[in-house]
């Protein structure tokens, strides 16, 4: 039975990776991370059968796990490199935090919902990828200045504009990836900080949930 289970698991993983490649994911480091980090481990148990499908999955607090191909598009645009400091806004289930860790990032992740932050912390601790992740219950739109600056910032949702307080945490030569609502369409945005200042580059349409500022009062 163990061999059969392992074989079935391997087949599901291969099918999952092939589906991502079919959607245009070519970054080998990213694909290896998505192979190593089990999405089932981070999905609510009642939705475990959907974890290796390219669909979003409901979470507590009215939130969702973003579909894997959308996660891959964000991480590819982030241009992850081993050893970089990464600030993540919107921890959700902790799955993306684990992917960032698997790709060599030193991650600080901020989640406005205490319920999600606690659950994500537990899942990360049991995943094998939590050692490089510091997860905080905090307002991602107003990150603590004592955190310093980051090489990469990932905003896991749609915002009307990138908050100035968040841009202030971006280090020289750094890159921020998120999504903006522009003329009725949600589009990926890549913000880079170079010698000549801040540059915003709008990318293709992307499907992400909205992000709200502040700490959740009840959750």
């Amino acid at each position: 039975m163990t061999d059969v289970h392992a074989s079935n698991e391997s087949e599901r993983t291969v099918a999952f990776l092939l589906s991502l490649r079919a959607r245009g994911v070519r970054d080998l480091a990213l694909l290896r991370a998505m192979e190593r980090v089990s999405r089932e481990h981070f999905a609510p148990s009642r939705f475990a059968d959907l974890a290796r499908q390219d669909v979003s999955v409901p979470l507590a607090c009215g939130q969702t796990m973003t579909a894997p191909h959308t996660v891959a598009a964000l991480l590819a645009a982030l241009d992850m490199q081993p050893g970089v400091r990464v600030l993540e806004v919107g921890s959700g289930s902790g799955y993306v935090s684990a992917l960032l860790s698997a790709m060599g990032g030193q991650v600080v992740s901020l989640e406005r919902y205490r319920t999600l932050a606690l659950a994500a912390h537990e899942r990360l601790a049991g995943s094998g990828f939590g050692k490089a992740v510091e997860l905080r219950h905090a307002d991602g739109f107003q990150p603590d200045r004592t955190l310093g600056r980051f090489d990469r910032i990932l905003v896991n949702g749609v915002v009307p504009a990138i908050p100035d307080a968040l841009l202030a945490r971006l280090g020289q030569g750094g890159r921020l990836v998120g999504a903006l609502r522009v003329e009725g369409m949600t589009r990926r945005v890549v913000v880079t900080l170079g010698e000549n200042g801040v540059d915003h580059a709008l990318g293709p349409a992307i499907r992400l949930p909205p992000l709200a500022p502040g700490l959740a009062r009840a959750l």
Side-chain angles (χ1 to χ4, degrees):
M1 291 294 291
T2 301
D3 290 342
V4 171
H5 176 78
S7 176
N8 290 340
E9 178 65 21
S10 177
E11 289 177 2
R12 285 194 294 269
T13 299
V14 170
F16 176 65
L17 296 174
L18 287 175
S19 72
L20 293 174
R21 290 183 66 89
R23 296 296 295 264
V25 181
R26 295 289 184 267
D27 187 315
L28 293 180
L30 174 55
L31 287 169
R32 282 195 294 267
M34 298 187 88
E35 178 181 11
R36 293 170 60 204
V37 179
S38 169
R39 194 168 182 246
E40 292 96 325
H41 179 77
F42 292 90
S45 57
R46 65 186 182 279
F47 297 116
D49 59 326
L50 298 176
R52 287 298 173 110
Q53 298 182 36
D54 193 15
V55 296
S56 59
V57 175
L59 295 174
C61 307
Q63 304 304 295
T64 60
M65 288 181 76
T66 301
H69 81 272
T70 303
V71 170
L74 291 172
L75 294 184
L78 198 62
D79 187 29
M80 280 292 296
Q81 303 294 329
V84 300
R85 291 193 77 220
V86 187
L87 177 64
E88 179 188 25
V89 178
S91 311
S93 68
Y95 174 64
V96 177
S97 310
L99 290 174
L100 291 167
S101 173
M103 296 178 76
Q106 298 296 314
V107 185
V108 176
S109 186
L110 309 180
E111 173 55 57
R112 71 185 299 260
Y113 293 100
R114 184 180 296 277
T115 299
L116 290 181
L118 291 173
H121 185 273
E122 289 184 5
R123 291 185 178 114
L124 281 164
S127 72
F129 297 97
K131 291 183 179 180
V133 180
E134 178 186 348
L135 197 149
R136 297 187 178 193
H137 175 225
D139 179 4
F141 285 46
Q142 296 287 335
D144 193 327
R145 292 182 180 181
T146 62
L147 291 173
R149 294 182 182 270
F150 293 85
D151 306 299
R152 302 287 187 273
I153 298 177
L154 178 63
V155 182
N156 283 321
V158 185
V159 295
I162 305 298
D164 288 340
L166 196 54
L167 287 175
R169 296 299 100 224
L170 191 62
Q172 187 68 27
R175 174 177 293 219
L176 179 151
V177 173
L180 296 175
R181 190 74 175 168
V182 180
E183 298 179 349
M185 179 184 295
T186 300
R187 296 178 63 181
R188 189 184 69 204
V189 63
V190 177
V191 180
T192 52
L193 178 59
E195 294 180 357
N196 297 321
V198 178
D199 177 70
H200 291 69
L202 287 174
I206 194 167
R207 189 170 184 176
L208 283 170
L211 280 184
L215 292 177
R217 293 181 178 179
L219 300 172

